[in-house]
Structures are given as structure tokens and as C-alpha cells.
């Protein structure tokens, strides 16, 4: 288990170095935050989807397998990631956007909550 955890930390460090300077990552995140504060509901949806995509990339680089973030999250040990439930909650919002039902209407509050949850996970992973 320790070896697996170590490999994932090494993969995360490599990903972060390839992803560019923290300033570049911060700029990408600032753009997501601007979208979430927009008055346009489609911007809120885009912000949630983009945040989900960042985490999907990180988990893939860390060696988690699966089609999409949800599949990757299933193989994360809850003891290895404090914000796992926050990310699951945010990912469920993303799924409601990507696969809407007829009565689905994303509120800005829901979108902000999802982005805040992604942010907690990204901070834990030292992306932000």
C-alpha cells in the first residue's frame, strides 16, 4: 500500500511540474471562478465541467484507471484523500449537467457549491 501511495505522489508531482507554473494553474482556476460568478447559466455549467476535467486529468496522471472521473474515484482509498466525498458530490452535479433530465435546472448556488468542492480537492492535491 505504501509503495502504491508513493508512486501516486511521484506521479502527482510530475503532473504538477508538467502542468506549468502555479501562476498558470491559478489563471485557469480564476477563469473558472469568473464563469461561476457570471449571470449566464451556461457559464456555470462550463465552470463545473472544466473543474471536473482538471481533477480527471490529475487522477489519471496519478495512475487511477477508468472512463471519466467517476470511475477513477471508485478506486481511491478514502483514507488517501480527505476530500473524496466533496469531489463525489461535485462530480454528481457535473453528471446532472452532462446527462440532464427534463426537469433539471442548475442553480448558481449548486454550481458554486460544486466548484467550491472541486477547489477543496485541488488544494489538497496542491494544484492550487
Amino acid at each position: 500500500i505504501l509503495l502504491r501511495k508513493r508512486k501516486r505522489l511521484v506521479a502527482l508531482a510530475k503532473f504538477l511540474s508538467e502542468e506549468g507554473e502555479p501562476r498558470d494553474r491559478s489563471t485557469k482556476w480564476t477563469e473558472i471562478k469568473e464563469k461561476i460568478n457570471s449571470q449566464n447559466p451556461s457559464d456555470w455549467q462550463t465552470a463545473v465541467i472544466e473543474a471536473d476535467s482538471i481533477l480527471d486529468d490529475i487522477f489519471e496522471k496519478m495512475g487511477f484507471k477508468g472512463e471519466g472521473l467517476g470511475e477513477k474515484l471508485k478506486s481511491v482509498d478514502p483514507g488517501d484523500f480527505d476530500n473524496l466525498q466533496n469531489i463525489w458530490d461535485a462530480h454528481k452535479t457535473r453528471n446532472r449537467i452532462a446527462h440532464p433530465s427534463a426537469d433539471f435546472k442548475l442553480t448558481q448556488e449548486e454550481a458554486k457549491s460544486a466548484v467550491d468542492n472541486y477547489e477543496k480537492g485541488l488544494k489538497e492535491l496542491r494544484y492550487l
Side-chain angles (χ1 to χ4, degrees):
I1 294 175
L2 242 82
L3 182 60
R4 186 178 71 224
K5 204 172 190 179
R6 183 182 161 109
K7 280 183 177 179
R8 289 191 174 139
L9 288 173
V10 168
L12 175 61
K14 184 174 187 257
F15 169 77
L16 292 176
S17 68
E18 291 170 356
E19 190 64 4
E21 293 296 314
R23 179 180 62 245
D24 297 337
R25 297 193 303 262
S26 176
T27 299
K28 191 185 292 187
W29 192 251
T30 299
E31 291 170 1
I32 288 172
K33 297 288 268 191
E34 286 171 359
K35 287 177 184 161
I36 211 68
N37 290 315
S38 155
Q39 295 305 308
N40 184 344
S42 69
D43 285 343
W44 311 336
Q45 293 179 357
T46 301
V48 171
I49 290 169
E50 288 176 358
D52 190 90
S53 178
I54 290 171
L55 270 152
D56 186 32
D57 287 347
I58 291 171
F59 280 106
E60 186 164 320
K61 297 284 195 303
M62 289 175 68
F64 290 97
K65 303 290 182 223
E67 190 67 33
L69 182 60
E71 289 295 314
K72 292 174 184 81
L73 290 175
K74 289 177 184 175
S75 58
V76 175
D77 184 328
D80 290 347
F81 191 51
D82 294 338
N83 283 288
L84 184 59
Q85 188 58 53
N86 289 329
I87 299 305
W88 266 116
D89 292 344
H91 184 68
K92 288 175 190 171
T93 300
R94 177 258 175 219
N95 283 346
R96 290 176 54 220
I97 293 166
H99 313 288
S101 62
D103 62 343
F104 173 68
K105 184 166 171 39
L106 180 71
T107 67
Q108 189 173 25
E109 186 177 310
E110 286 176 301
K112 281 184 177 184
S113 176
V115 168
D116 287 346
N117 281 336
Y118 284 122
E119 186 171 29
K120 290 173 188 169
L122 290 168
K123 284 181 176 176
E124 181 178 346
L125 293 169
R126 305 285 191 264
Y127 180 88
L128 296 174

